Amino acid sequence: MAIDDAPSQSTESTQSTERADETRSGSTWSSLRPLVLRLHFYAGLLIAPLLLIAATSGLLYALSFQAEKIIYSHELEVPVGDRTLPLGAQVEAARKARPDGTVTAVWPSSEDGATTRVLMTTPEVEEGKSLAVFVDPYTAEIRGALPSYGSSGALPLRTWLDGLHRDLHLGDLGRNYSEMAASWLWVVALGGLALWLGRRRGTKRALVVPERGPKGRRRTLSWHGSVGLWAVTGLVLLSVTGLTWSRYAGENIGAVQDQLGGATPTVSAALEAGSGTGDGHEGHAGTGGGAHQGADVGIDKAVESARAAGIDTKIGVTLPAEGSGYVIKERDAQFPVHLDSAAVDPSNGKVIDELRFADYPLLAKLTRFGIDAHMGVFLGLVNQLALAALTFALILLILWGYRMWWLRRPTKERKLSAGRPMPRGAWRKVPLPALLPLAAVTALAGWFVPMLGISLLVFLAVDLTLGAVARIRARAA
């Protein structure tokens, strides 16, 4: 939250206020506060640029859901017709339009006036993405084709913004930036919360609402602290959910989740030996896949069987491959979620396996909720607006933090100077019974979240070096 809440060296009133906070009631907090303040200063000052990039790109990403509906309206929307054509006919139309592609999945039209997406692998689309061919479900007219990415079906605009937010389009090297930002966000947010709650104030209202009277740095701090208080829960959740799919911390989180039995289950589409062969319907045109060479009842029959088993909301169909059947999954991530799935034998249309979201382990459910909320799909438009508000608040918090850092510079000494951190040696003021558990928790967090641990060691090394240089200069003088 705050970049700098250290004592101002420019006004006597600010100095006295901060001294009162530091000596408050002689509690453990009074000894911890300088340490939190110093860590908060360096973390906010040095990590804030990364957070600013992540927040700005995240804000644009949150708004891209609605922007896609406008930009790609021709591909996504069609006039409502009298009758919906069979899925097999729609898939066949897509195959004829793009004979160079191999159909892998189909997202049937989920509402009146929406197109069907036929997903293909093609030479022109890079690995990890699909070419989405948009088909009018009433006429089989091809409305266009666009690259599609991820389980949410992100189109080019959202895909580009997602890449910017995730890795700055720099690949694995760029992912370090987002993991660093996510690793420190919860530390900065919770540290700022502790500093804000630990301050003395005239009224309780000043805790949650910005003060009107003060000006300058105190007014900025009031806005920064109260807005940060409202945003802190969301910021911590953004940090945690962002870490779940990061490079290094994400692996640790996944390992712990697996050990606790919280891995996300999958429906089994494996066919028994000899299943799906020889009834004269090999290479059924309705599948469009080409990978499955055995008997095939077709996509319409497979969907009908899945719907009979209760898979009856917005769905996605993965076409059968060699040795596996159809997989029909619900894709409605909005609350209440509909994420059940079923596998269908292509030879006879029978359901061979079912998986209900209600049967997911609790940790798997929470992980899914968290990731979907971070992506803006959990609650639809409400989720996206909340993300936009939260990322905008983070941008303001960072800018206010830098403004406070600038306002507390010692202008009498030099005009281009900047704010200073709390004096060194803050950790020596922490009582041993509190210091030892704090050190243990810090070490554990640094190991579990490597980007946090490595950068914290770098901060410590730089700080110790600067302290040694200052002592040498003092002796030389």
Side-chain angles (χ1 to χ4, degrees):
M1 290 165 61
I3 284 180
D4 176 24
D5 190 26
S8 172
Q9 299 176 8
S10 58
T11 64
E12 183 64 29
S13 60
T14 305
Q15 289 178 343
S16 60
T17 300
E18 298 289 352
R19 282 196 297 267
D21 286 341
E22 291 180 25
T23 59
R24 186 179 180 181
S25 67
S27 62
T28 302
W29 168 243
S30 65
S31 59
L32 282 174
R33 185 178 184 278
L35 181 62
V36 175
L37 200 53
R38 187 166 178 81
L39 175 65
H40 195 65
F41 174 86
Y42 279 119
L45 185 65
L46 301 176
I47 302 300
L50 303 181
L51 288 173
L52 186 60
I53 295 172
T56 303
S57 58
L59 173 62
L60 295 175
Y61 179 82
L63 299 176
S64 68
F65 285 86
Q66 302 307 314
E68 277 191 341
K69 294 180 179 180
I70 299 173
I71 296 173
Y72 306 116
S73 60
H74 177 75
E75 289 82 2
L76 296 173
E77 301 174 3
V78 293
V80 178
D82 297 329
R83 183 177 65 89
T84 300
L85 296 175
L87 277 177
Q90 299 179 50
V91 172
E92 187 63 23
R95 292 182 65 205
K96 290 181 179 179
R98 296 303 302 253
D100 60 327
T102 300
V103 180
T104 58
V106 180
W107 292 6
S109 172
S110 58
E111 58 186 18
D112 293 342
T115 53
T116 292
R117 296 194 194 190
V118 179
L119 303 180
M120 297 181 171
T121 57
T122 65
E124 68 190 66
V125 177
E126 62 187 280
E127 186 178 356
K129 298 179 182 178
S130 300
L131 181 69
V133 180
F134 297 87
V135 184
D136 186 329
Y138 307 105
T139 66
E141 174 194 358
I142 304 301
R143 302 284 292 184
L146 295 168
S148 176
Y149 173 73
S151 60
S152 65
L155 298 178
L157 172 65
R158 186 151 55 95
T159 300
W160 190 87
L161 290 173
D162 175 70
L164 179 67
H165 180 68
R166 182 180 62 251
D167 57 22
L168 301 177
H169 296 289
L170 297 176
D172 287 342
L173 177 63
R175 291 184 66 185
N176 294 331
Y177 117 83
S178 58
E179 183 165 358
M180 182 76 77
S183 299
W184 277 97
L185 178 56
W186 66 274
V187 177
V188 177
L190 293 179
L193 175 66
L195 292 171
W196 183 244
L197 294 178
R199 289 180 60 87
R200 284 187 174 180
R201 50 184 54 83
T203 63
K204 293 181 178 180
R205 185 176 184 274
L207 177 68
V208 296
V209 178
E211 297 181 74
R212 296 181 180 180
K215 295 182 179 180
R217 179 179 174 277
R218 183 177 173 184
R219 183 176 183 178
T220 303
L221 176 60
S222 178
W223 275 93
H224 182 95
S226 56
V227 171
L229 180 68
W230 287 101
V232 65
T233 301
L235 295 179
V236 171
L237 290 176
L238 277 182
S239 174
V240 173
T241 54
L243 287 173
T244 56
W245 66 77
S246 60
R247 291 184 66 188
Y248 305 112
E251 291 183 4
N252 292 335
I253 293 173
V256 171
Q257 186 175 347
D258 291 345
Q259 291 175 1
L260 295 176
T264 300
T266 57
V267 67
S268 175
L271 299 176
E272 296 180 1
S275 177
T277 60
D279 73 345
H281 294 280
E282 287 82 358
H284 192 286
T287 67
H292 174 71
Q293 299 301 318
D296 194 340
V297 297
I299 189 172
D300 290 282
K301 178 60 178 177
V303 170
E304 181 182 338
S305 298
R307 292 197 185 281
I311 315 300
D312 55 3
T313 61
K314 183 167 62 175
I315 62 171
V317 183
T318 301
L319 300 190
E322 188 64 32
S324 65
Y326 287 94
V327 176
I328 296 92
K329 295 183 177 181
E330 293 178 334
R331 301 189 300 106
D332 184 6
Q334 297 190 39
F335 186 83
V337 298
H338 298 94
L339 298 173
D340 299 341
S341 57
V344 176
D345 190 330
S347 67
N348 54 30
K350 292 183 178 180
V351 174
I352 56 179
D353 191 28
E354 298 179 39
L355 177 62
R356 306 295 172 181
F357 184 70
D359 296 329
Y360 278 33
L362 178 60
L363 280 178
K365 290 180 180 178
L366 294 176
T367 300
R368 179 67 195 237
F369 290 151
I371 291 177
D372 285 349
H374 191 107
M375 292 175 60
V377 299
F378 178 44
L379 298 173
L381 179 59
V382 174
N383 193 169
Q384 294 149 25
L385 292 176
L387 279 178
L390 191 59
T391 51
F392 183 65
L394 179 56
I395 292 171
L396 291 178
L397 291 172
I398 294 169
L399 296 179
W400 283 328
Y402 274 116
R403 174 173 169 77
M404 286 187 291
W405 172 64
W406 179 253
L407 287 176
R408 65 179 299 274
R409 69 195 189 283
T411 54
K412 292 182 179 179
E413 297 179 15
R414 53 186 185 275
K415 293 183 179 180
L416 296 180
S417 60
R420 299 171 180 172
M422 284 290 293
R424 294 183 178 86
W427 64 273
R428 300 191 191 96
K429 300 179 182 179
V430 182
L432 191 62
L435 182 61
L436 292 179
L438 180 62
V441 171
T442 302
L444 180 62
W447 171 83
F448 194 75
V449 185
M451 283 296 185
L452 174 65
I454 293 172
S455 55
L456 189 59
L457 288 176
V458 172
F459 288 172
L460 180 60
V462 171
D463 198 40
L464 291 175
T465 301
L466 292 177
V469 171
R471 288 192 295 271
I472 294 173
R473 288 179 176 176
R475 291 170 186 169

